[in-house]
Amino acid sequence: GESVGLHLPTLSVQEGDNSIINCAYSNSASDYFIWYKQESGKGPQFIIDIRSNMDKRQGQRVTVLLNKTVKHLSLQIAATQPGDSAVYFCADLDPQGAQKLVFGQGTRLTINP
Amino acid sequence: DTEVTQTPKHLVMGMTNKKSLKCEQHMGHRAMYWYKQKAKKPPELMFVYSYEKLSINESVPSRFSPECPNSSLLNLHLHALQPEDSALYLCASSSGHYNEQFFGPGTRLTVL
């Protein structure tokens, strides 16, 4: 079965607000995690990644937090914009077969004007 | 050039047709991937090529036949597909397996 899952299938926030998308994983040996954004009609676009030796990583308006104790991953998007509306997937690299990226079910984020 | 290109963008084929999907990258990546994505679902891995050799086949039916003619190109040959094979087929590449995968825009395949 899948090693990653998401708490909510949809999330709506007001433009300008911060959003948090959550992800849980089951394999305590997972050691590399990626967040992807997929807009309608496009392929997934890399947002940010984090390795298991880190708890937090920041990018431009995005922060990923990793809590290995409870096997939880989150993506925080600051000051959301209409262009942030998309489906967000977390994915982890199967540590047993490092070439295999396993995606969670995805959360659809809608930014309301 | 940080782009993965895929052709065609859309493809409609009958169950007796033979067609091919093409993927190209010029980032010098030595790992290339095929994924299948059904509507409202996450991408699912089909094949992985590493240094032009097939390293993972996720028990994909033989009506899908991948080919990696060189380090920049990846093909997916299709033959005798079923309507349930209709999906978005995504190609990706990466510089290493513990590095981000860059995805192409996909080919939207419809099997009639």
Side-chain angles (χ1 to χ4, degrees):
Chain A
E2 288 186 332
S3 65
V4 291
L6 288 171
H7 292 303
L8 293 172
T10 61
L11 177 65
S12 292
V13 299
Q14 291 298 120
E15 183 179 351
D17 287 352
N18 299 334
S19 68
I20 299 176
I21 301 171
N22 295 302
C23 184
Y25 62 96
S26 57
N27 188 345
S28 57
S30 293
D31 57 3
Y32 180 54
F33 304 87
I34 308 176
W35 281 99
Y36 281 95
K37 171 187 180 183
Q38 188 173 24
E39 297 175 89
S40 182
K42 297 185 179 180
Q45 177 187 0
F46 172 88
I47 301 174
I48 193 167
D49 59 1
I50 189 166
R51 300 184 194 274
S52 59
N53 60 351
M54 304 172 71
D55 297 322
K56 178 180 180 179
R57 190 154 189 236
Q58 289 185 287
Q60 188 177 10
R61 285 198 304 117
V62 296
T63 301
V64 56
L65 299 177
L66 176 62
N67 185 329
K68 294 179 284 293
T69 303
V70 295
K71 297 199 283 281
H72 183 268
L73 191 68
S74 68
L75 177 70
Q76 300 177 4
I77 305 175
T80 52
Q81 303 168 356
D84 294 330
S85 292
V87 177
Y88 289 81
F89 293 102
C90 63
D92 82 322
L93 211 57
D94 181 352
Q96 301 221 338
Q99 304 161 68
K100 183 177 176 181
L101 199 61
V102 178
F103 284 78
Q105 289 300 309
T107 293
R108 177 171 296 280
L109 176 66
T110 302
I111 309 302
N112 300 314
Chain B
D1 183 1
T2 58
E3 191 179 14
V4 176
T5 59
Q6 290 187 245
T7 56
K9 290 192 69 172
H10 302 275
L11 179 62
V12 179
M13 61 187 289
M15 290 189 283
T16 58
N17 292 157
K18 283 186 181 181
K19 297 286 184 183
S20 296
L21 309 185
K22 298 187 183 300
C23 173
E24 189 168 4
Q25 57 88 13
H26 294 288
M27 294 178 277
H29 291 171
R30 303 315 295 264
M32 296 186 76
Y33 312 79
W34 280 115
Y35 288 84
K36 174 182 178 179
Q37 186 177 26
K38 301 284 277 185
K40 301 188 191 304
K41 294 291 186 182
E44 293 182 342
L45 183 67
M46 299 175 73
F47 302 104
V48 178
Y49 272 83
S50 182
Y51 288 88
E52 300 161 47
K53 294 194 185 312
L54 183 65
S55 57
I56 292 183
N57 176 341
E58 287 287 292
S59 303
V60 180
S62 60
R63 56 186 185 269
F64 295 91
S65 176
E67 179 197 18
C68 189
N70 61 55
S71 60
S72 300
L73 294 174
L74 188 65
N75 298 322
L76 186 63
H77 303 298
L78 315 172
H79 174 55
L81 294 194
Q82 304 296 310
E84 59 264 29
D85 295 323
S86 299
L88 180 69
Y89 287 85
L90 294 161
C91 173
S93 71
S94 67
S95 58
H97 296 302
Y98 270 89
N99 297 97
E100 64 181 278
Q101 293 182 19
F102 290 82
F103 282 82
T107 293
R108 176 76 58 192
L109 174 68
T110 302
V111 182
L112 301 176

